[in-house]
Amino acid sequence: MKRILLGLGAALVVAVILFLAVLPGVLEGQINRLVDVGPLEVTKEAARHHERLKVVDLHADTLLWARDPLERASRGHVDLPRLVDGNVTLQVFSVVTKVPRSQRHTGTDAESDVITLLAMAQRWPARTWGSLFERALYQAGKLHRAEAAAPDDLRIIRTAADVDALLAARDGRRPVGGLLATEGSHPLEGRLENIEALYDAGYRMMGLQHFFDNELGGSLHGLSSGGLTEFGKEAVREMERLGIIVDVAHSSHAVVEDVLEIATRPVVISHTGIKGACDSPRNIDDALMKRVAEAGGLVGMGYWKSAICDPAPEGIVRAIRYAIDYLGVDHVALGSDYDGAVPVAFDASELALLTGAMRDADFTEEEIEKVMGGNALRLFRELLPAE
């Protein structure tokens, strides 16, 4: 009987290990998927046009998942080979550190967190299981290790000089730049000094909120609809002092208004839609987006249904057209939300589809160049620390 029990125990341990090994991949395959929107084709003319562009995407959550960012994967939306295929010059890698079980666009509380289980299942270090700050450091470390393993292919961007050096070094489609960002500022864990610690870890863009209210203020999807707290105001000032770009994607209307009142630099909305093109609770009011643009900011247009209503390339381009006409061509960029638990119609390797759809919609050369990456590169040169 003892042998039988020992055997059953060993079998149970093996079963648990195997379950935890396959769980992250199964989960990601279900939520970071591609949706069928009909035939997708890039013409030779669109492909040649896309080759001339400097493409920048303001938001992808790739570092959350149990994948090597240097290796081509059969799931998800972004890895270095697919960025190269898509002629991406610079990808912003945003890190997710807490996600409630329910992610409603309104009325989401902060009482639960599915990232804890995911961290355990993906065998992250134990220090990350109970600390959002450590989760941010761990995910930054993944990008640093990738850069160290392939320095000719991937460069982490920290300064405006890094942007210029990246552009000068690109030979064909390599190297690709990576800029670290946070999906919300709850990894600060209420400590102002953690902003500089994250800066030292390479972070150069910080979202203020995600799906829930936090110490800095209200989320667009949270319970309070509140504005910036005193801690939130101090945090924004400290981010500006260090040269960290402030991202108000997911922030409440009141937070966005408060940030615009105290900010001395432009801010971004890294991944969103625009209500005039898609009347969704995921999107803040057009008039508030207009204020972000008038303050010199940038709006990254997403690719998923709840942000832009139609995730086909043509639907994304219709939303971009509305944004250009309303906000001005200098204030619109790409903000895919790749690998962010959103179904999209194409992955990073297929970004020429957007160039083709813009051409088909009679976008000018200038509009295509600025939206696909020119505006983001200009903003990074302006807002990142010089050296």
Side-chain angles (χ1 to χ4, degrees), residues 186-380:
H186 31 281
L188 300 182
E189 297 180 335
R191 300 177 62 187
L192 201 65
E193 60 267 30
N194 280 345
I195 298 176
E196 189 160 4
L198 292 175
Y199 177 91
D200 291 341
Y203 285 91
R204 293 298 182 269
M205 182 185 296
M206 294 189 71
L208 301 185
Q209 282 78 33
H210 195 198
F211 267 95
F212 51 91
D213 304 336
N214 62 18
E215 299 98 334
L216 287 82
S219 165
L220 181 63
H221 324 288
L223 302 177
S224 72
S225 300
L228 280 177
T229 63
E230 286 305 311
F231 177 74
K233 293 174 183 177
E234 291 177 355
V236 169
R237 294 187 183 104
E238 178 68 358
M239 291 172 195
E240 290 201 328
R241 182 186 73 83
L242 291 169
I244 294 173
I245 298 167
V246 175
D247 178 10
V248 293
H250 292 291
S251 294
S252 70
H253 288 78
V255 164
V256 178
E257 290 171 350
D258 287 347
V259 169
L260 292 172
E261 284 295 320
I262 67 171
T264 62
R265 296 159 23 112
V267 302
V268 304
I269 307 176
S270 63
H271 57 302
T272 188
I274 186 164
K275 273 188 177 291
C278 179
D279 189 6
S280 165
R282 173 60 182 80
N283 303 327
I284 66 171
D285 291 343
D286 288 12
L288 194 50
M289 284 200 178
K290 184 75 167 180
R291 288 182 58 195
V292 170
E294 288 173 344
L298 197 57
V299 174
M301 300 300 293
Y303 305 167
W304 72 103
K305 186 174 181 179
S306 63
I308 42 83
C309 288
D310 178 4
E314 296 78 12
I316 298 169
V317 167
R318 280 195 295 273
I320 291 173
R321 176 77 271 162
Y322 180 95
I324 289 174
D325 292 344
Y326 186 73
L327 302 175
V329 69
D330 293 326
H331 305 287
V332 184
L334 304 180
S336 66
D337 204 12
Y338 276 151
D339 291 330
V342 293
V344 294
F346 52 89
D347 66 20
S349 69
E350 304 170 292
L351 284 167
L353 289 164
L354 283 183
T355 301
M358 289 183 189
R359 288 169 56 91
D360 291 343
D362 296 324
F363 279 52
T364 67
E365 287 261 356
E366 179 190 30
E367 288 172 335
I368 295 172
E369 182 274 328
K370 287 186 172 184
V371 170
M372 292 297 286
N375 287 335
L377 290 173
R378 185 197 72 244
L379 192 81
F380 291 152

Side-chain angles (χ1 to χ4, degrees), residues 65-267:
W65 304 101
R67 292 190 273 119
D68 183 344
L70 298 178
E71 299 293 329
R72 187 183 299 274
S74 59
R75 64 180 188 267
H77 308 135
V78 170
D79 46 52
L80 183 65
R82 283 184 280 185
L83 292 172
V84 171
D85 289 348
N87 192 31
V88 175
T89 297
L90 195 159
Q91 175 67 59
V92 175
F93 290 98
S94 186
V95 304
V96 178
T97 55
K98 181 176 178 178
V99 175
R101 281 193 299 271
S102 174
Q103 300 172 49
R104 298 182 298 271
H105 286 309
T106 57
T108 298
D109 64 44
E111 298 306 312
S112 60
D113 175 30
V114 299
I115 303 301
T116 301
L117 178 59
L118 185 64
M120 293 177 177
Q122 295 187 151
R123 299 186 295 281
W124 289 11
R127 67 179 184 275
T128 68
W129 299 355
S131 170
L132 308 188
F133 175 71
E134 290 293 343
R135 293 176 191 178
L137 293 184
Y138 175 72
Q139 291 180 72
K142 289 178 68 174
L143 194 64
H144 284 284
R145 289 190 292 275
E147 180 190 43
D152 293 333
D153 299 323
L154 177 66
R155 293 188 179 188
I156 295 178
I157 301 301
R158 301 171 179 83
T159 67
D162 288 344
V163 175
D164 292 334
L166 171 71
L167 297 178
R170 274 179 64 85
D171 181 9
R173 298 181 173 202
R174 296 174 188 263
V176 175
L179 188 143
L180 281 163
T182 65
E183 181 93 83
S185 286
H186 31 281
L188 300 182
E189 297 180 335
R191 300 177 62 187
L192 201 65
E193 60 267 30
N194 280 345
I195 298 176
E196 189 160 4
L198 292 175
Y199 177 91
D200 291 341
Y203 285 91
R204 293 298 182 269
M205 182 185 296
M206 294 189 71
L208 301 185
Q209 282 78 33
H210 195 198
F211 267 95
F212 51 91
D213 304 336
N214 62 18
E215 299 98 334
L216 287 82
S219 165
L220 181 63
H221 324 288
L223 302 177
S224 72
S225 300
L228 280 177
T229 63
E230 286 305 311
F231 177 74
K233 293 174 183 177
E234 291 177 355
V236 169
R237 294 187 183 104
E238 178 68 358
M239 291 172 195
E240 290 201 328
R241 182 186 73 83
L242 291 169
I244 294 173
I245 298 167
V246 175
D247 178 10
V248 293
H250 292 291
S251 294
S252 70
H253 288 78
V255 164
V256 178
E257 290 171 350
D258 287 347
V259 169
L260 292 172
E261 284 295 320
I262 67 171
T264 62
R265 296 159 23 112
V267 302

